[in-house]
Amino acid sequence: MNQPTDNERMRRMFDDAVSDVEPRHSLDQIRARTATRQHRRGWFLGAGAAAVATAATITAVALLGEGPGATNAPEPGVAEGSVEPVEPVPVFYVGDTGQGPRLFRELHRVGTGSGVLPGALSQAVSASPDDPDYRTPWPAGTEVVRAERADGRIVVGLDLPGDRRLTAAGVGAEELIGFQQLVHTAQAATKSADPVRIVLDGQRVDTLLSLPLGEYPTQGDPRAQVWIDQPAEGEVVRSSFEVSGLANAFEANVQWELMRGDQVVKSGFTTAEECCTMAPYSFTVQAPPGSYTLVVHDSDPSDGEGFPPWRDTKEITVEQ
Amino acid sequence: MSVRWDPDAAVEEMYAAHYRRLVRLSVLLVRDVETAEEVVQDAFVAMHGRWRSLREPDKALAYLRQSVVNRSRSVLRHRGVRARHLPDPSHEHPGADVEALTAERRTHVLDALAHLPERQREVLVLRYYLDLSEAEIADTLGISRGAVKSHASRGTAALRNHLKDAR
């Protein structure tokens, strides 16, 4: 008999290592959670805020006195098309880059008026950015319990799930970028640069690891320097479609490729409106029907010597 | 090929076909079964939410895989310091019956994996447990094929070392 190859031996070892894992059946829990989403989306749309679908959002809004019991809430189950269009706001998430975890953003429709701030924050801490390259830095079960803007200040209160208490010793890169994520999301939702005070589990956070976190003009720039705003992850687009976003690129030079697997189907470059700051860029792509990965990145002036270029990617489908 | 599943049917079909394997995948990454179950549940809920843009079982599976790897990584980062101070397996001496030896062997592998750098662990698990190609691993992790290659060879060497030490 032949000796198994090294690869084969490794495969067997990995298989064996988890062969005794028999997970608990959890289809019912998943069903309950997805059913809740749809149900809640129903009345939430009715309350005038389109496409908000997380339990955490509901909590936050309920605290502001706009829950299902509010007298001015219209009937539940209003179809999406009949709701006044809501302006999308940036919700920030964390993605890994060549320079460590950085903030990216997705445009989400989260609500109107006083619902925008809690809605955006709740989406930021809930676990489901559309782009699988991104994540929320907060543990599952984190809830937004305060989201207010008054006297030139924004207050954000989070309750972390029971077993995850944040202590000064437990703060790592993930938590620090988590604070930045809250600050950027809160400021974008209020279209302000107001300082943000963070309250965790009822305790005001002033300093952690001697960094001033309570009143928080951010230190350094936690943002990735290339963002694709449109198309969104998973979007189905026409054969001629516009790509737009923000980039802080070397000499404002923004490059892009449309990939199918490893193959570059189309490529090009454009110029952002300004250099040396996050500035808008846009360009139009024409492509035959199919599924693609859209890659937008800056150029690498050091030719591979320095950090890898900033980049953002979206999986998109060009319709028939 | 698109199938005509609604999001609920998609969850059921994908769950029936892939749930156990995805939990095991996550166990290889985070070590703890309960955490792995949560991670995979979250991934299914997220898949349900975006079924309209996935529509195909292949895409949905790729999304689930990616989502499980990303969420597992996120959980590990939250654990932070704790994960880096795992008990040294060589100090544990379970009884010498067959069952204990089997359990010990499995623990050694999980321990050795837990000591690897994040990317090496992910690449090895995708390669040896899910049997993905270099290109698929690159896609799943959002890194280049060259990076996959180097993580795989360094990771394999490091894993062998850890396993030798633990013996």
Side-chain angles (χ1 to χ4, degrees):
Chain A
M1 219 176 88
N2 289 334
Q3 285 292 314
T5 62
D6 253 15
N7 268 345
E8 189 51 35
R9 219 176 290 145
M10 290 289 265
R11 264 186 216 119
R12 281 185 202 165
M13 187 177 80
F14 276 68
D15 251 349
D16 175 63
V18 286
S19 58
D20 58 342
V21 173
E22 288 302 334
R24 275 174 311 163
H25 184 75
S26 71
L27 183 57
D28 291 341
Q29 276 147 289
I30 295 167
R31 277 203 194 113
R33 287 173 63 190
T34 54
T36 311
R37 279 179 144 213
Q38 287 188 327
H39 171 72
R40 286 191 170 150
R41 175 177 281 186
W43 73 253
F44 210 90
L45 281 172
V52 179
T54 68
T57 307
I58 306 312
T59 310
V61 173
L63 282 171
L64 296 173
E66 292 178 20
T71 47
N72 58 352
E75 285 301 297
V78 179
E80 208 156 339
S82 67
V83 178
E84 194 188 328
V86 182
E87 191 190 341
V89 296
V91 175
F92 287 81
Y93 293 105
V94 177
D96 291 314
T97 74
Q99 302 191 31
R102 288 288 187 279
L103 297 179
F104 289 83
R105 66 181 200 176
E106 290 184 349
L107 299 178
H108 288 200
R109 293 172 201 281
V110 300
T112 51
S114 63
V116 172
L117 179 61
L121 287 166
S122 298
Q123 295 225 344
V125 304
S126 82
S128 304
D130 291 333
D131 191 325
D133 298 338
Y134 307 160
R135 61 179 184 273
T136 175
W138 298 97
T142 301
E143 289 187 3
V144 177
V145 293
R146 271 180 84 184
E148 303 151 9
R149 184 184 184 206
D151 306 326
R153 169 180 296 148
I154 303 165
V155 181
V156 177
L158 298 188
D159 270 3
L160 302 183
D163 56 333
R164 318 254 183 144
R165 287 281 171 266
L166 203 58
T167 62
V171 173
E174 196 76 354
E175 282 76 22
L176 290 178
I177 194 106
F179 288 111
Q180 313 252 32
Q181 177 218 23
L182 295 177
V183 170
H184 277 265
T185 303
Q187 290 178 339
T190 53
K191 294 186 177 154
S192 77
D194 290 353
V196 177
R197 171 175 294 168
I198 294 166
V199 180
L200 285 184
D201 294 327
Q203 304 221 313
R204 182 172 149 183
V205 180
D206 285 322
T207 57
L208 280 170
L209 298 179
S210 72
L211 290 171
L213 288 171
E215 313 255 331
Y216 208 79
T218 54
Q219 302 201 338
D221 193 344
R223 299 173 299 180
Q225 301 290 297
V226 173
W227 292 335
I228 302 172
D229 283 340
Q230 280 178 325
E233 177 74 17
E235 195 168 321
V236 179
V237 296
R238 299 203 177 154
S239 62
S240 172
F241 62 97
E242 191 181 85
V243 178
S244 62
L246 295 178
N248 173 10
F250 180 67
E251 290 175 344
N253 188 5
V254 176
Q255 304 186 342
W256 60 270
E257 286 93 36
L258 194 65
M259 315 274 300
R260 187 179 270 154
D262 283 348
Q263 202 190 347
V264 177
V265 180
K266 298 252 172 175
S267 66
F269 60 90
T270 186
T271 310
E273 284 176 17
E274 275 179 86
C275 134
C276 318
T277 180
M278 287 297 265
Y281 69 83
S282 68
F283 55 90
T284 304
V285 181
Q286 277 165 356
S291 297
Y292 301 95
T293 306
L294 171 69
V295 185
V296 178
H297 57 96
D298 68 349
S299 55
D300 182 0
S302 76
D303 226 11
E305 294 292 310
F307 286 116
W310 297 103
R311 53 182 243 148
D312 197 2
T313 64
K314 298 291 167 200
E315 300 298 322
I316 56 168
T317 304
V318 174
E319 69 180 4
Q320 295 284 344
Chain B
M1 200 192 73
S2 288
V3 290
R4 280 198 214 146
W5 292 337
D6 65 20
D8 291 338
V11 164
E12 265 172 53
E13 299 286 341
M14 298 301 289
Y15 177 95
H18 305 290
Y19 175 67
R20 190 169 73 167
R21 198 162 180 80
L22 288 169
V23 173
R24 289 178 171 183
L25 165 71
S26 182
V27 170
L28 287 166
L29 297 171
V30 303
R31 228 169 165 268
D32 168 58
V33 180
E34 216 171 294
T35 308
E37 287 169 349
E38 275 172 35
V39 160
V40 175
Q41 254 190 46
D42 287 348
F44 272 99
V45 172
M47 185 206 86
H48 182 275
R50 67 200 306 276
W51 175 252
R52 274 214 312 215
S53 66
L54 293 168
R55 286 183 303 186
E56 297 162 24
D58 284 357
K59 271 197 189 174
L61 179 57
Y63 176 79
L64 283 169
R65 271 199 306 252
Q66 195 165 44
S67 180
V68 167
V69 173
N70 284 348
R71 283 160 206 269
S72 298
R73 186 186 309 140
S74 185
V75 165
L76 280 185
R77 288 187 183 172
H78 277 290
R79 279 195 207 152
V81 184
R82 210 149 36 101
R84 271 172 257 134
H85 295 283
L86 291 168
D88 181 349
S90 58
H91 296 311
E92 293 163 15
H93 294 287
D97 54 281
V98 176
E99 217 169 290
L101 281 176
T102 308
E104 195 188 6
R105 186 181 69 223
R106 289 171 183 160
T107 311
H108 279 331
V109 177
L110 292 177
D111 280 344
L113 272 172
H115 280 94
L116 297 185
E118 189 172 275
R119 282 294 190 210
Q120 291 181 10
R121 177 169 54 242
E122 290 168 358
V123 168
L124 292 192
V125 167
L126 292 175
R127 173 168 166 185
Y128 293 119
Y129 186 64
L130 290 191
D131 222 357
L132 298 191
S133 70
E134 233 166 62
E136 286 172 315
I137 297 172
D139 278 353
T140 305
L141 298 179
I143 58 180
S144 71
R145 290 175 73 163
V148 171
K149 230 179 238 165
S150 83
H151 287 311
S153 69
R154 279 185 210 159
T156 307
L159 185 68
R160 290 216 169 96
N161 270 336
H162 281 303
L163 287 169
K164 237 189 306 173
D165 291 347
R167 234 165 244 152

